[in-house]
Every structure is written in C-alpha cells, then in structure tokens.
Amino acid sequence: MTLIKSISGIRGTIGGQPGDNLTPLDAVKFASAYGMWIKKSSGKKQPIVVLGRDARISGAMIQSLVQNTLVGMGCHVIDLGLSTTPTVEIAVPLENADGGIILTASHNPKEWNALKLLNHKGEFLDGDEGQKILDAAASATFDYATVDELGKVTVIDDYIERHIDHVLKLPLVQVEAIRKACFKVVVDGVNSTGGIAVPALCKRLGVEVIELYCDPTGHFPHNPEPLKEHLGDLFAAVKEHQADFGITVDPDVDRLAFITEKGDMFGEEYTLVACADYVLSKQSGNTVSNLSSSRALRDVTIKHGGTYKAAAVGEVNVVQQMKDTNAIIGGEGNGGIIYPESHYGRDALVGIALFLSLLVDTNSDSVSALRDSYPSYFMSKNKVQLTPGMPVDRILEDIADTYKKEELTTIDGVKIDFENEWVHLRKSNTEPIIRIYTESNSQEKADLLATRFIKELEAIAQQYA
C-alpha cells in the first residue's frame, strides 16, 4: 500500500496505517494544510473552496472528511458532488473562489484516491505553492476556526451541465454542423463521472449514444486507464452497433481516447494531434506537449506554420510552457487536451467537441481514414518497478553520460532523441516506478528500443546493488 506526496497533491491507497496510505487522518491533515495555505494566500479569514469528486467507492468518505475539515478551518465550501476534474477547474473562477480540490486518483485503480489541489485560477499549484502545503502538512501545526467563524457549505449540483454549456459556446465548436451529421458513438464511462458528462455532451450535440459502463457506481469494470489492453468490450461494442467511433475517458474525465469504426485504437497520442490539427487549421499559433508525447504533434504544428515546444511531464509544466510560448493548444500524449480558449486544464469534453468539429469540417470518410492522414509513429510504454535503496537519479545520470553525444534533454529525467526515434526515462510522480517511453517508425522498432533500455537500466542498477 502506498502514499505519495507531491506538489500537485496527495495520492494513496485507502486503508492501512496513517502516513503509509490515504487514511482518514491523512485526508484531514492535508485538507488542513491546504486550508491554512488558502487562507494565507488569499488573505481572507473565510476563503471559498470548490470541491468535487469522481465516482470512486471511497469518494463519499474522503469528501466528507475533506469538506468538514475545510469548514473547520473556516473555509466556505462549494460542493459540486459528483463532478469531473475539468468541471471543478472551470467552476473555481466562475464562482470567484480562492481555490479548489478534486477528489480523484485519475487513472489509478479503485483502491486509490487523491486530493488534487487548485489555485484561484482553477489551475494546479506550482512547485512553490505545493511545497508550502507539503511543509504545512509535515509540521501539523494547524489553527482551526472558532465556532463563530466556521465555514458554510453550498451545494451546486448542475455544474456538469454548466460545463457543457461552456464547451458549446466555444467559437470553434461547430454545434449545428455536428447536429446535422447524425453521428453514432459508443461511450465507455468506466462507471465514473464520465458516464454522466460524456453522454450528456454528445446528446446536446445531436449524437446518438450507446452507453457502456456509464453508471457512476465507482465499480470500474476494467482497469480505468484508457489503454488498448483495457478496452476490448468497447472495441466489440463499436463494431456490433456499427458506430462511427467510440469514446473512452478516465474516471475524472481529463484523459480522452477514441476508437475507430473498425474497433481499433485511434491512438491516445493522436487525440491531441487531431484536435491541434483542427485548431491550427482555423488559427495560426504554437503548440506544446510533454517530453513523453509523440513527434506527430510537432509535425502537424510545422505543417500549419507554427512552433512546437516540449515541456517536462506534468500538467503544471505544460501549462507554464504554453503560457510562455503563447500556445493556442497543447496537452499531454496520454489523451489530455488543454485549450486556453476554454481554460488551462486537460478537458476531455473540450477534446470531444473539437474532434467532432474536425470530422464535420474535413468531411472525413471515417475516423480510421482521418487517423491514416497523420504521420505514423508508434510508441511503446513500459515501466520498471523501483526497489528500496535504488539510486534512481544516479542511474539516469549514468544513462545521460553514456549518450552524451546524442541530442539530450534532462529537464525531466533523460530524453534521448535519435534521428528516427527517441526514448524518455523518468521517475513517475504518482507511482513508485521508472517510466520508459519510446517512439519509432514501427511498433517493432519502438518495442526493441524499449527492451534495449530496460536491459541497460537493469545492468546499471546491478552496479549499485
């Protein structure tokens, strides 16, 4: 069982011992630390915090603990109930709130939950802000409100609909053209809040929806990470219903993947590529993705006359790079779309609306044909479990030294760009593993490159055993 503390929040498995897992004591401690920080950063005795959660089994328990802790700190809470990460992000500025917390462990299995922390802009905290909360939690020196200064809770239960309204008002979303196209889709909501939000958005756009696992019970029917090996039922349903394509999201609806009409992956890396292709066809500008994302976004950006930049992995890093380069769209290759015209956060609902707009704008014969129109790269995503005492940073330094004559990027682990392929090695921020991403011009070559570096990592690790 695991508890992971980072600048973006606290994530862990439910149950077990305090300090080792996400227990009620840990939830209260970190909610208290956030409450202390939000009061100081806002300069208010009673700041406003927006709170929402995905449909995890532990969600109601964690929400009750966090919400009442914030009330005890003197914070007013706007309770969105079952929600999505981008919905909470949008709600923070719309409600003139001072911050927000999303209770979700994103793509992690059901035994996990987390507190994701937002600032007054509805954006994830930067390193300095996050460190202040970690320090406050470590000191456990909290100053709670007196009885006359306790916070109050306001329930708003229609924010997903407000979020959809916001998406439909975006200038590049071709609402009427999409309605006329009469698409049919299958939606896998992994029995979380995507099962509420995605069908609702599609129906507002006149799309016929076949719902698969859209009951928000929190009992995930398969591993909730939207990867090929987890989506067999969706592949079959798309073909069975002769749908135009399939849609799947992770439990908190900030990652998005499409399935072609043939029941194949469109490619989670190509979610961002397709949406960027559409936006760049309407507006000149730049793009950003993280170091572990496909070169295809760079190629599409150059095709449209823009400039592409890579950021360190992590939404906050991508957002900062987007601001620095005035990027008009960006995100992460795991299916995360960040569209500043909407807000600076990954948003599957925005991605769906842009993708549908692309389909009607290009009059594509099929989703598979659209996919075939993009540069063809193949990725391999692997991981190596960390062992106690392994000097991971030193191992990565040794790798960088070995390949110092190649094009290296070391702002986040080690990325080595070869002529026709690349490898990115980094410690995960959310799990005790080293992630190994490779990309090449064939799946076989990408897999071979990954195998090669797994062996190299293991050989170097043995030197430190």
Side-chain angles (χ1 to χ4, degrees):
M1 308 295 272
T2 306
L3 182 68
I4 299 172
K5 306 165 189 175
S6 73
I7 60 171
S8 60
I10 176 174
R11 180 182 302 229
T13 48
I14 299 297
Q17 299 295 313
D20 294 330
N21 310 277
L22 185 53
T23 68
L25 285 176
D26 294 291
V28 169
K29 182 170 73 172
F30 277 85
S32 299
Y34 180 81
M36 291 278 287
W37 173 79
I38 205 76
K39 291 173 74 172
K40 185 174 182 179
S41 65
S42 68
K44 300 177 182 177
K45 283 189 175 182
Q46 293 191 301
I48 300 171
V49 178
V50 177
L51 187 64
R53 66 180 178 91
D54 69 14
R56 288 171 186 274
I57 298 167
S58 61
M61 176 194 72
I62 297 295
Q63 179 176 347
S64 179
L65 291 163
V66 170
Q67 180 168 287
N68 286 298
T69 298
L70 292 172
V71 167
M73 291 297 300
C75 300
H76 296 312
V77 175
I78 297 176
D79 173 17
L80 305 189
L82 287 175
S83 189
T84 77
T85 286
T87 303
V88 177
E89 291 171 343
I90 285 173
V92 170
L94 289 178
E95 295 299 320
N96 294 312
D98 301 290
I101 301 178
I102 309 132
L103 305 176
T104 174
S106 299
H107 62 274
N108 291 68
K110 68 177 182 179
E111 62 267 24
W112 291 77
N113 212 328
L115 282 67
K116 288 185 174 182
L117 310 177
L118 304 176
N119 62 21
H120 69 284
K121 298 177 182 178
E123 299 170 14
F124 286 113
L125 307 187
D126 64 27
D128 291 339
E129 294 168 330
Q131 191 59 52
K132 289 175 183 176
I133 293 171
L134 292 177
D135 292 343
S139 70
T141 304
F142 305 125
D143 185 14
Y144 294 99
T146 64
V147 68
D148 293 322
E149 295 178 337
L150 295 175
K152 297 180 181 178
V153 177
T154 302
V155 176
I156 304 179
D157 60 9
D158 68 342
Y159 240 101
I160 287 178
E161 282 300 321
R162 299 190 195 188
H163 184 180
I164 292 170
D165 289 340
H166 167 84
V167 172
L168 298 185
K169 291 177 182 176
L170 293 171
L172 291 188
V173 176
Q174 300 190 34
V175 176
E176 292 307 318
I178 295 169
R179 287 173 177 161
K180 291 177 182 178
C182 299
F183 290 111
K184 182 201 290 189
V185 303
V186 180
V187 173
D188 180 351
V190 73
N191 283 345
S192 190
T193 47
I196 302 171
V198 176
L201 170 67
C202 290
K203 290 171 184 176
R204 290 277 299 275
L205 286 166
V207 176
E208 180 183 350
V209 179
I210 292 95
E211 297 185 8
L212 179 68
Y213 307 135
C214 286
D215 187 10
T217 62
H219 292 281
F220 304 147
H222 53 76
N223 186 306
E225 189 166 12
L227 301 177
K228 179 178 180 179
E229 56 266 32
H230 307 149
L231 301 173
D233 291 348
L234 179 56
F235 297 159
V238 168
K239 291 190 289 185
E240 176 188 350
H241 293 280
Q242 297 184 325
D244 293 297
F245 60 98
I247 301 172
T248 186
V249 293
D250 64 342
D252 67 325
V253 201
D254 62 1
R255 287 177 61 175
L256 170 65
F258 296 110
I259 312 303
T260 75
E261 78 286 353
K262 297 178 180 179
D264 300 321
M265 286 293 288
F266 185 78
E268 61 171 354
E269 291 288 330
Y270 285 81
T271 300
L272 175 56
V273 173
C275 291
D277 185 30
Y278 174 64
V279 172
L280 291 168
S281 73
K282 303 298 181 184
Q283 179 183 352
S284 298
N286 305 322
T287 66
V288 172
S289 64
N290 66 38
L291 287 169
S292 294
S293 299
S294 174
R295 282 182 178 176
L297 178 62
R298 179 202 62 181
D299 294 351
V300 167
T301 305
I302 292 171
K303 179 188 75 172
H304 288 288
T307 299
Y308 165 80
K309 293 290 185 181
V313 173
E315 185 170 322
V316 65
N317 299 316
V318 174
V319 165
Q320 187 58 55
Q321 183 74 282
M322 290 180 69
K323 292 178 178 179
D324 291 344
T325 59
N326 295 313
I328 60 174
I329 190 168
E332 298 182 301
N334 60 13
I337 305 299
I338 302 174
Y339 185 45
E341 183 76 17
S342 172
H343 64 115
Y344 276 108
R346 293 180 298 169
D347 191 335
L349 300 189
V350 168
I352 291 166
L354 292 177
F355 187 78
L356 286 165
S357 297
L358 171 66
L359 290 176
V360 296
D361 191 68
T362 58
N363 196 26
S364 297
D365 292 334
S366 65
V367 170
S368 60
L370 176 66
R371 172 62 182 83
D372 290 341
S373 70
Y374 294 123
S376 193
Y377 293 106
F378 299 83
M379 293 191 75
S380 181
K381 300 182 181 183
N382 299 270
K383 53 191 176 184
V384 173
Q385 193 72 32
L386 299 181
T387 56
M390 181 184 289
V392 181
D393 292 331
R394 182 63 183 275
I395 292 170
L396 294 178
E397 288 173 6
D398 288 351
I399 288 282
D401 186 62
T402 299
Y403 290 93
K404 59 187 177 183
K405 293 184 178 180
E406 303 291 344
E407 182 182 344
L408 290 181
T409 306
T410 57
I411 59 173
D412 181 13
V414 179
K415 184 174 183 181
I416 308 165
D417 273 287
F418 302 104
E419 183 177 358
N420 297 313
E421 56 192 10
W422 56 259
V423 59
H424 185 205
L425 313 172
R426 64 179 298 271
K427 292 188 296 185
S428 171
N429 292 329
T430 59
E431 298 177 75
I433 58 176
I434 292 180
R435 296 191 182 275
I436 303 169
Y437 297 89
T438 60
E439 183 175 69
S440 190
N441 52 18
S442 76
Q443 190 62 56
E444 181 181 11
K445 290 179 181 178
D447 292 340
L448 286 172
L449 186 63
T451 300
R452 167 183 154 190
F453 274 89
I454 289 171
K455 290 179 179 178
E456 290 193 27
L457 284 170
E458 291 174 344
I460 294 173
Q462 287 179 0
Q463 299 174 17
Y464 297 100

mmCIF file of all heavy atoms in Angstrom, residues 38-53:
data_model
loop_
_atom_site.group_PDB
_atom_site.id
_atom_site.type_symbol
_atom_site.label_atom_id
_atom_site.label_comp_id
_atom_site.label_asym_id
_atom_site.label_seq_id
_atom_site.Cartn_x
_atom_site.Cartn_y
_atom_site.Cartn_z
ATOM 1 N N ILE A 38 -4.574 28.271 1.782
ATOM 2 C CA ILE A 38 -5.531 29.068 1.019
ATOM 3 C C ILE A 38 -5.925 30.329 1.803
ATOM 4 O O ILE A 38 -6.155 31.392 1.217
ATOM 5 C CB ILE A 38 -6.778 28.231 0.631
ATOM 6 C CG1 ILE A 38 -7.453 28.803 -0.626
ATOM 7 C CG2 ILE A 38 -7.794 28.146 1.753
ATOM 8 C CD1 ILE A 38 -6.739 28.497 -1.890
ATOM 9 N N LYS A 39 -5.972 30.230 3.117
ATOM 10 C CA LYS A 39 -6.277 31.412 3.925
ATOM 11 C C LYS A 39 -5.140 32.434 3.835
ATOM 12 O O LYS A 39 -5.380 33.634 3.685
ATOM 13 C CB LYS A 39 -6.531 31.012 5.380
ATOM 14 C CG LYS A 39 -7.825 30.230 5.574
ATOM 15 C CD LYS A 39 -7.984 29.690 6.987
ATOM 16 C CE LYS A 39 -8.345 30.784 7.966
ATOM 17 N NZ LYS A 39 -8.682 30.210 9.304
ATOM 18 N N LYS A 40 -3.913 31.939 3.867
ATOM 19 C CA LYS A 40 -2.777 32.846 3.800
ATOM 20 C C LYS A 40 -2.618 33.435 2.405
ATOM 21 O O LYS A 40 -2.381 34.645 2.250
ATOM 22 C CB LYS A 40 -1.502 32.104 4.207
ATOM 23 C CG LYS A 40 -0.276 33.004 4.282
ATOM 24 C CD LYS A 40 0.934 32.261 4.833
ATOM 25 C CE LYS A 40 2.134 33.187 4.937
ATOM 26 N NZ LYS A 40 3.324 32.493 5.502
ATOM 27 N N SER A 41 -2.748 32.595 1.375
ATOM 28 C CA SER A 41 -2.541 33.076 0.004
ATOM 29 C C SER A 41 -3.639 34.041 -0.436
ATOM 30 O O SER A 41 -3.384 34.955 -1.225
ATOM 31 C CB SER A 41 -2.458 31.899 -0.969
ATOM 32 O OG SER A 41 -3.689 31.201 -1.034
ATOM 33 N N SER A 42 -4.858 33.832 0.064
ATOM 34 C CA SER A 42 -5.973 34.711 -0.313
ATOM 35 C C SER A 42 -6.068 35.946 0.571
ATOM 36 O O SER A 42 -6.689 36.946 0.189
ATOM 37 C CB SER A 42 -7.296 33.940 -0.234
ATOM 38 O OG SER A 42 -7.614 33.619 1.118
ATOM 39 N N GLY A 43 -5.474 35.877 1.763
ATOM 40 C CA GLY A 43 -5.591 36.972 2.713
ATOM 41 C C GLY A 43 -6.964 37.073 3.338
ATOM 42 O O GLY A 43 -7.323 38.109 3.920
ATOM 43 N N LYS A 44 -7.742 35.997 3.254
ATOM 44 C CA LYS A 44 -9.113 36.005 3.779
ATOM 45 C C LYS A 44 -9.242 35.065 4.971
ATOM 46 O O LYS A 44 -8.637 34.001 5.011
ATOM 47 C CB LYS A 44 -10.093 35.563 2.692
ATOM 48 C CG LYS A 44 -10.104 36.433 1.451
ATOM 49 C CD LYS A 44 -11.064 35.861 0.409
ATOM 50 C CE LYS A 44 -11.067 36.685 -0.871
ATOM 51 N NZ LYS A 44 -11.951 36.082 -1.903
ATOM 52 N N LYS A 45 -10.054 35.452 5.937
ATOM 53 C CA LYS A 45 -10.346 34.562 7.052
ATOM 54 C C LYS A 45 -11.241 33.408 6.626
ATOM 55 O O LYS A 45 -11.169 32.315 7.189
ATOM 56 C CB LYS A 45 -11.023 35.334 8.192
ATOM 57 C CG LYS A 45 -10.084 36.181 9.016
ATOM 58 C CD LYS A 45 -10.809 36.739 10.243
ATOM 59 C CE LYS A 45 -9.832 37.487 11.148
ATOM 60 N NZ LYS A 45 -10.518 37.993 12.367
ATOM 61 N N GLN A 46 -12.092 33.682 5.645
ATOM 62 C CA GLN A 46 -13.027 32.655 5.180
ATOM 63 C C GLN A 46 -13.007 32.568 3.647
ATOM 64 O O GLN A 46 -13.936 33.006 2.970
ATOM 65 C CB GLN A 46 -14.435 32.944 5.693
ATOM 66 C CG GLN A 46 -14.552 32.793 7.220
ATOM 67 C CD GLN A 46 -15.987 32.821 7.691
ATOM 68 O OE1 GLN A 46 -16.715 33.797 7.458
ATOM 69 N NE2 GLN A 46 -16.418 31.762 8.363
ATOM 70 N N PRO A 47 -11.964 31.999 3.102
ATOM 71 C CA PRO A 47 -11.881 31.835 1.644
ATOM 72 C C PRO A 47 -12.881 30.809 1.146
ATOM 73 O O PRO A 47 -13.440 30.020 1.923
ATOM 74 C CB PRO A 47 -10.444 31.351 1.425
ATOM 75 C CG PRO A 47 -10.081 30.671 2.706
ATOM 76 C CD PRO A 47 -10.785 31.445 3.789
ATOM 77 N N ILE A 48 -13.088 30.819 -0.167
ATOM 78 C CA ILE A 48 -14.042 29.897 -0.805
ATOM 79 C C ILE A 48 -13.275 28.823 -1.557
ATOM 80 O O ILE A 48 -12.359 29.126 -2.334
ATOM 81 C CB ILE A 48 -14.968 30.660 -1.775
ATOM 82 C CG1 ILE A 48 -15.762 31.731 -1.033
ATOM 83 C CG2 ILE A 48 -15.917 29.694 -2.485
ATOM 84 C CD1 ILE A 48 -16.523 32.668 -1.957
ATOM 85 N N VAL A 49 -13.657 27.567 -1.335
ATOM 86 C CA VAL A 49 -13.007 26.432 -1.995
ATOM 87 C C VAL A 49 -14.066 25.596 -2.711
ATOM 88 O O VAL A 49 -15.080 25.223 -2.110
ATOM 89 C CB VAL A 49 -12.252 25.542 -0.986
ATOM 90 C CG1 VAL A 49 -11.619 24.345 -1.695
ATOM 91 C CG2 VAL A 49 -11.194 26.342 -0.236
ATOM 92 N N VAL A 50 -13.842 25.316 -4.002
ATOM 93 C CA VAL A 50 -14.739 24.443 -4.763
ATOM 94 C C VAL A 50 -14.265 23.004 -4.583
ATOM 95 O O VAL A 50 -13.068 22.719 -4.688
ATOM 96 C CB VAL A 50 -14.744 24.818 -6.255
ATOM 97 C CG1 VAL A 50 -15.623 23.849 -7.047
ATOM 98 C CG2 VAL A 50 -15.236 26.251 -6.441
ATOM 99 N N LEU A 51 -15.215 22.114 -4.327
ATOM 100 C CA LEU A 51 -14.886 20.712 -4.075
ATOM 101 C C LEU A 51 -15.731 19.813 -4.961
ATOM 102 O O LEU A 51 -16.957 19.973 -5.053
ATOM 103 C CB LEU A 51 -15.155 20.383 -2.601
ATOM 104 C CG LEU A 51 -14.731 19.012 -2.079
ATOM 105 C CD1 LEU A 51 -13.220 18.841 -2.145
ATOM 106 C CD2 LEU A 51 -15.214 18.836 -0.633
ATOM 107 N N GLY A 52 -15.081 18.878 -5.657
ATOM 108 C CA GLY A 52 -15.803 17.911 -6.489
ATOM 109 C C GLY A 52 -15.073 16.586 -6.466
ATOM 110 O O GLY A 52 -13.895 16.520 -6.104
ATOM 111 N N ARG A 53 -15.758 15.521 -6.864
ATOM 112 C CA ARG A 53 -15.131 14.198 -6.814
ATOM 113 C C ARG A 53 -15.586 13.338 -7.978
ATOM 114 O O ARG A 53 -16.647 13.579 -8.585
ATOM 115 C CB ARG A 53 -15.475 13.490 -5.506
ATOM 116 C CG ARG A 53 -16.965 13.122 -5.336
ATOM 117 C CD ARG A 53 -17.181 12.418 -4.012
ATOM 118 N NE ARG A 53 -18.584 12.083 -3.781
ATOM 119 C CZ ARG A 53 -19.146 10.919 -4.135
ATOM 120 N NH1 ARG A 53 -18.419 10.001 -4.767
ATOM 121 N NH2 ARG A 53 -20.420 10.676 -3.871
#
